[in-house]
């Protein structure tokens, strides 16, 4: 697959993306094969049949019985074995989307190419097994799960191409919406649909759910910004609607469907009331049922059908590719949080603000505001608001900085006459704006985070006529009180009358399920009968509202929807039970049990935001899947169900959940409730260690100097053996050692670094900082093909001295460690000993905190700046005084400004390691690189390399899988240098790309040489 930079002529930092064949018309999804050897352990097939009322039992369309071995054999005729997942652990990992429903698929296929989709449709019909597509699985209404075959259309469907100078964008279903926007940014445009989940969800889901968000309203949703679509029908017919002959072909190949569509259109137009009702309902946001507006808005069957596919939740056809019209990106923002005495006053402000041009108007009831009032940075006045108060977050936007004054005028005119609790304050400051948005975006997770263990968080999504929004909000609040939802909150996109309400709910017993059923009946009554609103404004009907589609739309419209489904999918095998479901209680079936598991992950709402960040995503499991599996194991244990399955999950989890977790914690950076699944992994690893092993680790930590010598020796010996007998000999020796001693022994590879040179001599007198080279920097030297003139330590000392900020390396630095090698493996005692000793040394070396301590390896810095809890009370006091800095921060803030750049590279590539991301240092690393190079490339898929100190040595397949995409992107061009800030990650990236990655300090040293 070829990769092209999206803006090769841009100077400065830019990001590249997996692209398409340059100049070609056809998109090519990235071809990635899943590492064989991952799937291990015995294969205990068969469905999870532990009985439980209403839980994960039958769908509306029960799958036909076909044995699991038959099914697997049939699927293997379609896809390679590494893309057909039938082990229980794999199927259960895919049993959840972000909704509160759960279905275990019989198989998961990681599909590749439209031909495979056609073959899967054939199989589904031959064996009568339902089929459901899944992109990122962030759906909230239960539409991305199945008991049949789950077809994942994410990892091999990531093609994206900007067309027509940015006016259009061509996307495949597996590309993340946020990535598309990153690509579009240089053109000053973005996607119309703007769901809050845009950095996790994918185009297949955005189109199929007709997702929208804070600004897009109705006008900029996928339906209205669709240009053309390539789709595959359950019959196997594939159509590209961009083809001028598409309608002709559609009518010829699918006469029944095309004719049926025209008949439905005629039926609608024969009833002017229905026609008008459809028009009226789509002036508001509405994703209940199929997009009936397609019949009113278009004439030709192909145009009607392609628009009906938007929002069809994967029940009518497979969407293989879409071209969307982009909308202007408006980067200049003017934002304010307006506080009102009550909801009526807030809602009365919506129309004047909207008419004045506000692009976002987010309503928050008092409970929403209360849910975030204790979060850092939230204005204290929020705490003292009166009980009925409400907030409106208003944002005015423009494309040009020159419009700032105009935005100010618009805002100040609009707030005149509003009934406010405090004078309106708007801001242009991005930091203050981010804080205001944090208030709004924090509401949903804050409820999730404080809910009782064992309960689910439910977010509903309704729309009301804007002019009746205040009454509707108050009525909803009354329903909370009536049904005992004390912590319910209401917020939403007020500009479009779209409200979300969040409640927490247990589904652990029948009484709780009944409570939810009664509540939902009342909600349906309220929304439909009292307000004639929409039961789903943007999240899709799914299983959740399927029983109520007819109630909202009426008998005739519902019949038309059913007929559309029959025409496209006559066998009802494509995502059955979603949108159209004859069972009036289907919304109460297959409810997701949420047993309490481990404290670290109990708050998980299974939203899937973390998945994209996880280095083991394509290899074994994601953070969400790890949690889903832990919950399933907990459930099986507590219910004493299926012991065989439990044993299989436990044994499979050891590799899929534990060994291949890099404990980098990147998942926490995306998690709305702040879960770092790596913390759980560490604890589980810790629990797996005997007291003897902990003691041994402690002993090692106490003699770390000896360990350093041993590693020096091992690397020297390894290279000596390799130079005489070849790389294969050393690899063979370690392979045998691993067979005997287990996977704890690192696998030797030809790219092992050499033993590091001795550290350079430095002067304590006059030093402006203590330089603490990490143990990795102290022992690991150059990689094969890496220049060996100076070491990274020498580079640091040299640039610091050139800048007139000399640093000194303490003479007794050896034997001191950041503790990360111990904590990452769950050796707490070793970790605690290591960090306590190192902090004591820092105290001495820094003369009681007078000098800052600078660490050259970012993961080690991160470990040290976060070690406080492991310190003795005395060392905590020292820690609080110490200033521990990462090399990136120190160089950016104190060294770079005092240096003269003498030569610049043309282009360099950066790999910001996880700890740099977590410490918010990526921008500083980029700035350093920009000072030294005309062009700086940070691949868009740069993420955790999975090396994680030693995982890359112990489980090389993790690094191989984690780096595949980033490496593919980097093939687009050759750069003058490849840089990072952690030696082990550099080894991983060197392995992945074939280019030697080095410390950024070398780049700076070269650029500042006279
Ligand atoms: C915390 C949170 C916040 C959210 N905020 C919003 C929001 O602001 N606005 C909003 O609209 N939604 C929101 N959502 C819901 C969800 O993220 C969106 O609907 C999203 O677009 C779903 O995309 P996905 O990639 O996860 O799709 P999935 O969940 O994987 O799939 C969605 C549907 O599309 C179908 N599908 C997927 N790919 C294809 C294909 N190629 N062909 C045919 N069918 C396909 C699936 O079968 C399924 O029915 C939120 C979800 C969460 C968890
Ligand atoms: S710590 Fe890293 S590897 Fe582990 S679950 Fe989180 S993102 Fe995945
Ligand atoms: S860990 Fe966090 S981001 Fe991941 S699924 Fe759970 S709540 Fe969502």
């Amino acid at each position: 697959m070829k990769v092209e930079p999206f803006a090769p002529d841009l100077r400065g930092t830019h990001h590249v993306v997996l692209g398409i064949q340059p100049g070609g018309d056809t998109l090519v999804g990235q071809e990635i094969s899943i590492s064989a050897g991952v799937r291990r352990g015995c294969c205990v097939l068969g469905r999870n049949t532990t009985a439980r009322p209403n839980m994960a039992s039958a769908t509306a369309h029960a799958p036909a019985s076909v044995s699991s071995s038959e099914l697997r054999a049939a699927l293997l005729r379609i896809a390679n074995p590494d893309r057909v997942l039938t082990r229980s652990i794999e199927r259960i990992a895919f049993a959840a989307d972000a909704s509160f429903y759960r279905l275990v698929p019989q198989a998961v296929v990681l599909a590749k190419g439209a031909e495979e989709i056609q073959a899967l449709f054939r199989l589904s019909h031959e064996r009568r097994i339902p089929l459901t597509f899944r992109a990122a699985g962030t759906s909230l209404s239960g539409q991305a799960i199945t008991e049949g075959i789950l077809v994942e259309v994410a990892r091999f469907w990531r093609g994206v191409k900007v067309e027509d100078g940015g006016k259009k964008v061509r996307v495949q279903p597996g590309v993340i919406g946020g990535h598309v926007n990153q690509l579009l940014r240089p053109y000053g445009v973005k996607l119309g649909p703007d769901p809050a989940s845009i950095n996790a969800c994918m185009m297949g889901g955005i189109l199929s759910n007709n997702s929208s968000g804070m600004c897009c309203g109705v006008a900029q949703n996928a339906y209205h910004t669709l240009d053309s679509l390539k789709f595959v029908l359950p019959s196997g017919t594939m159509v590209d609607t961009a083809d001028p002959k598409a309608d002709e072909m559609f009518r010829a190949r699918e006469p029944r469907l095309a004719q049926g569509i025209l008949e439905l259109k005629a039926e609608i137009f024969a009833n002017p009331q229905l026609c008008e009702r459809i028009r009226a309902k789509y002036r508001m946001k509405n994703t209940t049922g199929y997009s009936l507006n397609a019949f009113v808005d278009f004439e030709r069957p192909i145009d009607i059908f392609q628009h009906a596919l938007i929002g069809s939740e994967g029940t009518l056809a497979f969407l293989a590719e879409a071209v969307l019209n982009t909308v202007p990106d408006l980067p200049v923002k003017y934002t304010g949080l307006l506080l009102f005495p009550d909801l009526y006053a807030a809602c009365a402000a919506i129309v004047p603000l909207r008419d004045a041009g506000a692009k976002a108007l987010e309503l928050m009831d008092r409970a929403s505001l209360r849910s975030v009032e204790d979060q850092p940075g939230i204005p204290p006045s929020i705490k003292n608001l009166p009980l009925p108060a409400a907030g409106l977050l208003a944002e005015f936007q423009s494309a040009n900085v020159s419009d700032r004054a105009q935005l100010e005028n618009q805002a100040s005119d609009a707030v005149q006459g509003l009934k406010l609790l405090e004078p309106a304050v708007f801001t242009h400051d991005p930091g203050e704006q981010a804080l205001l948005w944090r208030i709004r975006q924090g509401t949903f997770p804050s409820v999730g985070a404080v809910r009782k263990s064992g309960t689910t968080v439910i977010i509903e999504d309704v729309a009301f006529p804007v002019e009746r929004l205040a009454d509707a909000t108050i009525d909803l609040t009354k329903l909370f009180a009536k049904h005992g939802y004390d912590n319910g909150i209401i917020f939403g996109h007020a500009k479009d009358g779209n409200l979300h309400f969040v409640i927490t709910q247990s589904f652990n017993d029948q009484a709780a399920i009944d409570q939810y059923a009664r509540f939902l009946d009342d909600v349906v009554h309220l929304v439909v009968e009292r307000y004639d609103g929409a039961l789903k404004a943007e999240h899709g009907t799914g299983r959740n509202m399927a029983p109520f589609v007819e109630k909202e739309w009426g008998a005739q419209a519902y019949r038309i929807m059913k007929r559309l489904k029959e025409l496209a999918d006559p066998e009802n095998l494509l995502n059955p039970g979603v949108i159209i479901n004859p069972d009036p209680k289907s919304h109460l079936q297959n409810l997701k049990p949420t047993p309490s598991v481990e404290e670290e992950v109990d708050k998980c709402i299974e939203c899937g935001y973390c998945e994209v960040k996880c280095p083991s995503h394509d290899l074994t499991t994601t953070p969400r899947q790890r949690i889903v599996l832990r919950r399933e194991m907990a459930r099986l244990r507590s219910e004493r169900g299926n012991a065989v399955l439990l044993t299989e999950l436990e044994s499979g989890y050891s590799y899929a959940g534990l060994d291949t977790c890099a404990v980098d914690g990147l998942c926490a950076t995306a998690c709305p409730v702040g879960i770092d699944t790596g913390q759980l992994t560490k604890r589980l690893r810790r629990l797996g260690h005997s007291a003897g092993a902990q003691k041994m680790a402690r002993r090692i930590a106490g003699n770390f100097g000896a360990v350093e010598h041993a590693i020096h020796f091992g690397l020297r010996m390894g290279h000596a053996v390799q130079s005489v007998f070849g790389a294969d000999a050393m690899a063979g020796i370690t392979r045998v050692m691993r067979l005997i001693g287990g996977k704890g022994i690192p696998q030797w590879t030809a790219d092992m670094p050499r033993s590091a040179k001795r550290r350079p001599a430095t002067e304590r007198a006059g030093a402006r900082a203590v330089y603490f080279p990490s143990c990795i920097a102290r022992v690991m030297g150059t990689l094969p093909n890496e220049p060996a003139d100076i070491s990274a330590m020498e580079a640091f000392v040299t640039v610091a001295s050139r800048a007139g900020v000399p640093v000194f390396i303490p003479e007794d630095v050896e034997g001191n460690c950041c503790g990360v090698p111990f904590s990452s493996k769950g050796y707490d005692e070793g970790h605690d000993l290591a960090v306590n000793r190192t902090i004591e040394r820092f105290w001495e070396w820094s003369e009681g905190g007078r000098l800052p301590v600078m660490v050259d390896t970012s993961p080690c810095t991160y470990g040290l700046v976060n070690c406080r809890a492991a310190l003795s009370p005395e060392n905590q006091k020292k820690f609080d005084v110490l200033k521990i800095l990462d090399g990136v921060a120190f160089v950016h803030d104190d060294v770079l400004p005092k240096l003269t750049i003498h030569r610049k590279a043309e282009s360099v590539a950066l790999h910001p390691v996880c700890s740099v991301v977590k410490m918010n240092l990526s921008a500083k690393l980029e700035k350093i690189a920009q000072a030294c190079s005309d062009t700086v490339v940070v691949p868009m898929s740069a993420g955790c390399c999975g090396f994680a100190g030693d995982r890359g040595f112990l489980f090389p397949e993790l690094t191989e899988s984690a780096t595949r995409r980033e490496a593919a992107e980097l093939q687009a061009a050759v750069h003058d240098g490849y840089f990072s800030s952690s030696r082990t990650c550099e080894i991983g990236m060197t392995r992945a790309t074939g280019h030697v990655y080095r410390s950024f300090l070398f780049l700076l040293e070269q650029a500042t040489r006279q």
Side-chain angles (χ1 to χ4, degrees):
M1 141 132 225
K2 287 188 185 158
V3 175
E4 62 177 3
F6 74 90
D9 54 340
L10 288 180
R11 292 280 160 179
T13 302
H14 62 256
H15 301 256
V16 292
V17 69
L18 290 170
I20 64 150
Q21 309 219 332
D25 285 339
T26 320
L27 274 170
V28 185
Q30 191 194 12
E31 304 240 329
I32 297 161
S33 68
I34 310 297
S35 159
V38 173
R39 325 242 167 257
R40 319 161 168 209
C42 61
C43 192
V44 182
L45 296 171
R47 308 233 311 274
N48 165 23
T49 51
T50 314
R52 197 177 166 82
N54 306 79
M55 294 199 181
S57 53
T59 52
H61 187 294
S65 66
V66 48
S67 82
S68 9
S69 51
E70 264 182 293
L71 177 60
R72 182 169 173 83
L75 289 171
L76 289 180
R77 287 193 282 279
I78 297 173
N80 292 342
D82 52 6
R83 295 191 287 108
V84 175
L85 315 184
T86 47
R87 292 169 57 215
S88 301
I89 190 167
E90 296 162 329
R91 295 185 297 109
I92 290 168
F94 278 94
D97 58 12
S99 72
F100 51 94
Y101 299 97
R102 175 183 188 266
L103 287 171
V104 182
Q106 293 184 53
V108 181
V109 180
L110 312 175
K112 202 179 197 180
E115 289 75 21
E116 268 187 20
I117 301 290
Q118 287 169 317
L120 286 164
F121 274 136
R122 255 192 321 272
L123 174 74
S124 158
H125 283 80
E126 280 162 17
R127 305 291 175 115
R128 303 198 52 72
I129 305 176
L131 198 137
T132 293
F133 298 111
R134 176 183 175 110
T138 66
S139 282
L140 289 159
S141 308
Q143 59 266 57
I145 49 171
T146 179
E147 263 190 321
I149 303 169
L150 188 69
V151 183
E152 196 235 53
V153 291
R155 62 194 87 185
F156 300 106
W157 300 85
R158 290 195 161 111
V160 52
K161 187 185 182 196
V162 178
E163 293 183 344
D164 212 357
K167 288 200 183 91
K168 296 181 194 301
V169 65
R170 183 179 294 268
V171 291
Q172 284 191 332
V175 62
I176 292 174
H179 288 184
V180 180
N181 278 344
Q182 250 178 284
L183 274 177
L184 291 173
R185 200 162 298 141
Y187 301 89
V189 294
K190 60 175 186 167
L191 287 169
D194 59 352
S197 52
I198 198 153
N199 290 323
C201 67
M202 296 172 180
M203 293 310 302
I206 292 175
L207 294 161
S208 300
N209 285 351
N210 199 13
S211 308
S212 54
M214 315 228 185
C215 299
C216 97
V218 171
Q220 295 186 336
N221 64 16
Y223 178 96
H224 286 288
T225 55
L226 182 69
D227 183 76
S228 70
L229 205 55
K230 209 179 265 181
F231 62 85
V232 183
L233 283 163
S235 63
T237 299
M238 185 151 69
V239 181
D240 181 354
T241 65
D243 186 332
K245 294 201 170 131
D247 190 55
E248 226 172 87
M249 197 185 83
F250 185 56
R251 289 176 199 248
R253 295 221 187 125
E254 296 287 336
R256 189 173 160 272
L257 175 56
Q259 184 54 33
I261 287 171
L262 290 177
E263 284 164 13
L264 292 178
K265 181 175 171 67
E267 187 184 336
I268 290 170
F269 276 86
N271 180 347
Q273 259 179 331
L274 177 60
C275 223
E276 184 40 44
R277 177 159 178 73
I278 292 171
R279 287 201 178 99
K281 277 189 82 64
Y282 287 104
R283 281 195 280 272
M284 272 193 335
K285 280 189 178 187
N286 188 337
T287 59
T288 315
Y290 290 117
S291 303
L292 288 187
N293 43 344
F295 292 94
V296 176
D297 296 342
F298 299 94
E299 299 303 321
R300 302 186 315 165
I302 194 65
D303 297 324
I304 295 172
F305 190 64
Q306 72 160 335
H307 284 88
L309 285 178
I310 302 303
S312 66
E313 300 174 36
T315 62
L316 299 178
F318 169 68
L319 314 186
E321 191 181 301
V323 178
L324 293 166
N325 295 309
T326 58
V327 303
D329 187 13
L330 307 173
V332 183
K333 298 185 162 69
Y334 192 50
T335 318
L337 175 62
L338 308 176
L339 296 170
F340 298 87
D342 55 41
L343 274 162
Y344 285 103
C347 291
I350 295 169
V351 173
L353 284 162
R354 188 187 63 191
D355 292 349
K359 289 285 184 288
L361 280 174
E362 293 295 305
L363 179 71
M364 286 165 277
D365 73 348
R366 180 69 189 92
S368 295
L369 293 167
R370 192 178 301 114
S371 72
V372 292
E373 65 187 18
D374 291 327
Q375 289 181 11
I378 303 296
S381 59
I382 301 272
K383 256 193 182 148
N384 305 320
L385 291 176
L387 198 64
L392 256 190
L393 181 56
E395 189 165 273
F396 293 81
Q397 301 175 350
S398 167
N400 306 310
V401 181
S402 55
D403 293 340
R404 280 169 73 133
Q406 188 196 321
L407 294 183
E408 286 163 19
N409 291 338
Q410 276 173 279
S412 80
D413 288 352
V415 297
Q416 299 301 319
L418 296 185
K419 202 170 148 194
L420 292 165
L421 277 175
E422 295 170 3
V425 179
F426 282 81
T427 177
H428 287 291
D429 181 79
E432 290 173 15
Q433 288 172 338
L435 184 67
L436 294 177
W437 278 107
R438 247 189 25 228
I439 297 178
R440 160 62 184 87
Q441 282 156 352
T443 50
F444 168 47
S446 67
V447 174
V450 298
R451 76 188 196 272
K452 268 211 315 251
S453 175
T455 62
T456 301
V457 58
I458 296 179
I459 177 165
E460 277 303 346
D461 161 47
V462 291
F464 298 103
V466 171
E467 59 283 3
R468 301 184 68 194
L469 205 56
D471 285 331
T473 311
I474 285 161
D475 283 345
L476 273 175
T477 316
K478 286 182 188 155
L479 286 188
F480 291 162
K482 176 179 170 193
H483 293 279
Y485 294 103
D486 303 337
N487 58 358
I489 63 168
I490 303 172
F491 55 88
H493 317 313
K495 184 170 65 75
D496 303 302
N498 178 190
L499 290 186
H500 296 304
F501 56 90
V502 179
I503 53 168
T504 64
Q505 173 72 53
S506 154
F507 287 128
N508 293 336
D509 54 52
Q510 194 56 48
I513 295 169
D514 292 345
Q515 176 200 22
Y516 175 69
R518 285 191 301 270
F519 172 65
L520 200 67
D521 283 347
D522 274 0
V523 169
V524 170
H525 176 81
L526 180 84
V527 174
V528 173
E529 301 197 352
R530 197 170 311 164
Y531 291 98
D532 196 16
L535 289 167
K536 287 287 176 184
E538 53 180 33
H539 294 169
T541 310
R543 292 165 199 283
N544 185 231
M545 284 300 172
F548 306 105
V549 177
E550 183 169 8
K551 179 140 195 151
E552 177 177 328
W553 273 100
Q556 191 185 3
Y558 187 57
R559 210 176 46 245
I560 288 167
M561 290 183 193
K562 283 205 297 188
R563 179 77 185 126
L564 177 64
K565 169 74 175 169
E566 282 156 17
L567 288 167
D569 177 27
E571 307 288 332
N572 190 26
L573 286 165
L574 189 47
N575 214 3
V578 167
I579 297 187
I580 304 292
N581 196 320
D583 179 355
K585 297 280 173 208
S586 66
H587 61 300
L588 304 173
Q589 308 290 327
N590 307 307
L591 298 170
K592 191 188 270 180
T594 319
S596 302
V597 276
E598 287 89 4
E599 200 191 337
E600 295 89 338
V601 296
D602 259 348
K603 303 295 178 213
C604 175
I605 52 177
E606 298 184 6
C607 66
Y609 276 24
C610 52
E611 298 204 320
V612 61
K613 299 279 177 186
C614 181
S616 58
H617 177 281
D618 288 346
L619 180 73
T620 50
T621 52
T622 66
R624 168 166 65 174
Q625 291 177 329
R626 288 180 167 95
I627 296 165
V628 165
L629 288 168
R630 304 256 1 127
R631 286 181 169 160
E632 179 63 355
M633 290 188 274
R635 189 178 74 81
L636 288 169
R637 261 180 235 121
S638 74
E639 292 176 3
R640 298 188 191 287
N642 203 333
V644 179
L645 177 62
L646 177 59
T647 310
E648 189 201 346
L649 294 184
E650 284 173 343
S651 92
Y653 192 82
S654 145
Y655 177 74
L658 296 182
D659 289 347
T660 51
C661 173
V663 299
D664 52 287
L666 269 196
C667 39
T669 63
C671 177
V673 291
I675 292 172
D676 174 356
T677 307
Q679 293 298 335
L680 171 64
T681 301
K682 285 185 199 173
R683 189 160 66 77
L684 295 175
R685 285 182 187 160
R686 185 166 69 232
L687 293 175
H689 299 318
S690 64
Q694 287 285 6
K695 267 203 194 86
M696 172 62 84
R698 199 183 144 81
R699 214 169 301 140
I700 291 172
N703 293 286
F704 207 71
V707 176
E708 281 186 53
H709 284 302
I711 298 174
H712 272 296
F713 178 75
L715 288 173
R716 272 199 296 269
M717 285 305 292
H719 278 284
V721 172
Q722 182 169 291
S723 67
V724 178
F725 299 107
D728 288 351
M730 261 315 284
I733 292 169
T734 49
R735 219 171 287 129
V736 173
M737 285 165 68
R738 277 158 70 87
L739 278 178
I740 301 165
K743 291 236 161 187
I745 297 169
Q747 173 66 50
W748 181 273
T749 50
D751 56 8
M752 281 288 192
R754 291 187 172 277
S755 165
K757 281 166 54 170
R758 268 197 62 74
R759 64 183 148 80
T762 49
E763 288 283 327
R764 186 185 187 107
R768 302 274 293 275
V770 179
Y771 170 19
F772 177 67
S774 72
C775 64
I776 288 169
R778 297 194 301 263
V779 299
M780 289 187 181
T782 52
L783 295 169
N785 303 322
E786 180 176 5
D789 49 349
I790 59 167
S791 69
M793 286 184 279
E794 285 166 335
F796 204 154
V797 170
T798 307
V799 289
S801 141
R802 278 181 199 154
V805 274
V807 294
F808 91 95
I809 305 175
E811 279 302 313
D812 54 348
V813 71
E814 277 79 19
N816 293 292
C817 161
C818 64
V820 172
F822 297 95
S823 63
S824 65
K825 291 187 203 57
Y827 291 115
D828 279 9
E829 292 185 24
H831 169 259
D832 295 359
L833 189 143
V835 289
N836 273 286
R837 206 181 40 197
T838 300
I839 291 301
E840 280 161 20
R841 289 290 102 79
F842 279 12
W843 186 251
E844 281 168 32
W845 298 333
S846 67
E847 297 165 24
R850 188 181 70 79
L851 295 175
V853 182
M854 205 287 305
V855 186
D856 60 0
T857 302
S858 301
C860 305
T861 320
Y862 187 79
L864 283 164
V865 297
N866 288 292
C867 76
R868 192 177 188 280
L871 299 175
S872 66
E874 202 178 320
N875 283 337
Q876 285 188 348
K877 282 189 206 138
K878 293 175 181 165
F879 176 90
D880 293 343
V881 177
L882 284 168
K883 194 172 175 199
I884 303 171
L885 292 173
D886 185 63
V888 172
F890 179 74
V891 166
H892 176 272
D893 297 347
D894 297 328
V895 177
L896 186 63
K898 300 180 181 109
L899 284 171
T900 307
I901 304 293
H902 295 294
R903 63 186 63 75
K904 275 188 161 190
E906 254 177 52
S907 155
V908 299
L910 286 186
H911 173 75
V913 301
C914 309
S915 31
V916 162
V917 175
K918 289 190 289 184
M919 292 186 287
N920 264 329
L921 294 176
S922 305
K924 290 191 174 177
L925 181 63
E926 284 179 27
K927 289 226 172 83
I928 297 168
Q930 279 162 0
C932 305
S933 175
D934 291 333
T935 302
V936 177
V937 170
V938 181
M940 203 160 77
S941 48
C944 174
C945 69
F947 210 94
D950 63 357
R951 294 289 103 178
F953 294 127
L954 302 175
F955 302 98
E957 68 275 19
L958 175 61
T959 300
E960 191 192 325
S961 171
T963 51
R964 203 171 283 138
R965 280 201 195 101
E966 188 175 348
E969 274 188 55
L970 282 164
Q971 274 166 20
V974 174
H975 303 284
D976 298 334
Y978 298 79
F979 299 98
S980 187
S981 60
S982 159
R983 181 86 290 205
T984 49
C985 302
E986 286 153 22
I987 296 172
M989 289 307 299
T990 302
R991 237 181 229 179
T993 60
H995 299 290
V996 175
Y997 271 73
R998 316 184 72 196
S999 166
F1000 71 98
L1001 295 162
F1002 289 112
L1003 174 65
L1004 191 59
E1005 194 281 325
Q1006 279 160 15
T1008 54
R1009 265 187 212 177
Q1010 284 280 13

